[in-house]
Amino acid sequence: MSLTILYVEDNRLVSEAVRDLLEAEGWSVHSCADGNSGMNRIAGGCAYDLLVFDNDLPGASGIELTRYARSLPRYRGTPIIMVSATDCRADARSAGVNLFLSKPEDIHTLLEALRRLTE
């Protein structure tokens, strides 16, 4: 299955590693390094199959991005994964995140979780 993924992460090394991992699966990954760019991508014309956000971002946080995405009809049912070093699991869930992964310990489960959410 071919997926188009929006990935918002401000740490360049983490972003590149995760993007490479996802692209190795044949998926198209659009990366942003800050919340405001992520917000613009969500508002734009591209339809993403999956949204992956860090929470601690310059500009808008991952929780703000999640709330914004969930406010748009086309993203109400789109899976959203938050990968964050900050323990904001409860806030992320109430904002509409489908799955919260802790960085760095849960990062190895990202591919499995992604496949599960998009089947």
Side-chain angles (χ1 to χ4, degrees), residues 11-90:
N11 182 304
R12 188 178 56 79
L13 293 176
V14 172
S15 178
E16 289 174 3
V18 171
R19 187 183 67 236
D20 290 348
L21 180 72
L22 299 178
E23 287 178 344
E25 296 294 314
W27 299 327
S28 174
V29 180
H30 299 189
S31 299
C32 298
D34 65 81
N36 293 333
S37 297
M39 196 82 72
N40 290 335
R41 290 280 182 122
I42 294 167
C46 188
Y48 296 104
D49 301 305
L50 180 78
L51 305 172
V52 181
F53 304 141
D54 182 11
N55 187 52
D56 298 317
L57 299 164
S61 71
I63 289 173
E64 291 170 302
L65 290 173
T66 301
R67 286 189 183 120
Y68 179 64
R70 292 295 187 225
S71 77
L72 302 173
R74 73 174 178 256
Y75 288 117
R76 288 206 179 114
T78 302
I80 300 176
I81 298 175
M82 183 167 292
V83 183
S84 183
T86 305
D87 187 8
C88 55
R89 186 179 312 264

Side-chain angles (χ1 to χ4, degrees), residues 3 5 22 27 50 52 79 81 99 101 109-119:
L3 297 174
I5 300 166
L22 299 178
W27 299 327
L50 180 78
V52 181
I81 298 175
L99 181 65
L101 299 175
T109 66
L110 181 62
L111 277 181
E112 175 191 325
L114 207 145
R115 286 189 189 105
R116 197 173 58 243
L117 284 172
T118 56
E119 285 180 343

